[in-house]
Amino acid sequence: SRLAQERALLFLTFHNPILMTDVLTVKDGPVGIVTLNRPDRLNAWTRQLQSELFDALEAFDHDEDIRVVVVTGAGRGFCAGADMDMLNSISASRGDSISGSQSREQWSAPQPETRSFLMAQQLSKPVLAAINGPVAGIGLAWVLTCDMRFANKAAKFSCAFSKRGTVAEWGTSFLLPRLVGTGNAMMLLMSSDIFLGDEAVRLGLVQKCFDGDVLEQTVAFARRLAANVSPVSMAVMKRQLWNHPRMEDQQALRESVMLMQSSVTPQNSDFKEGVRSFIEKRPAAFKPVSHDNPVIVTAKLLIPDGSKL
């Protein structure tokens, strides 16, 4: 049950913490779970929450024991968007006053974070969003940067920007059309209408939605990936899928062929283990990513941000 899982989360966090306040982290075997932890504000986005979220993602990406990362929200929401106190402070400030200038500098969400808002895409491990409740505005923009999204059927989605007098913020102008098409992106962004999990799946925004506990279902899927799939394959496929659609077809094809050639060699231990386990009819026992793996070496040379693999 959700209650039992939250109790387990608190217990594991006490015994295995990364010291944070707005974000909780738990290592569940090979799965790293990150929980946005401002439940009294529906996990509304702040500068501190973003900084702690990015810290947690980086820590799990560097942890060899972790193969997949899941992000969810505490309480009944995932992230209701930017904190309204922050937005109210900005809107109440006079643009030509010293106090107004200071207010924008202090509150502009999220300032002065220097890491890319697209950080989840740049990590070597899959980042899955388990959307347990309302997600809007910058919260929705951020889940678009995740590799996969799963949601509760009752979860409410909204872009929200047009109803606050702003624009398609934080990359939604290019991330959302890639997922749902230009027409649907126009409809969602301009209307800021609220829609539910089933509609999110129909649009292609979410991969699956569930009646029950979405965190439990998402972690179960993450465990299957961790148990059955090569971490090298996941790391390189992730780079390919985020970068190749932005390239010309022939360039993407050339890179795919070169990566394939580097993968189908005896020097690729994951390839050897994948074939051997299939022949021997047993589960594969893939090791953590080795930076000497020929696929990783090739990816670092070819793919933008490949150096971070």
Side-chain angles (χ1 to χ4, degrees), residues 165-195:
T166 66
V167 297
E169 296 182 2
W170 300 107
T172 51
S173 55
F174 63 88
L175 291 169
L176 192 57
R178 283 184 60 177
L179 294 172
V180 304
T182 301
N184 285 328
M186 289 276 191
M187 176 182 69
L188 298 177
L189 283 163
M190 290 187 177
S191 70
S192 290
D193 282 345
I194 294 172
F195 55 101

Side-chain angles (χ1 to χ4, degrees), residues 208-224:
K208 289 185 179 181
C209 63
F210 305 100
D211 284 316
D213 190 330
V214 66
L215 177 59
E216 180 180 356
Q217 298 281 356
T218 306
V219 169
F221 176 74
R223 288 197 194 103
R224 293 201 301 274

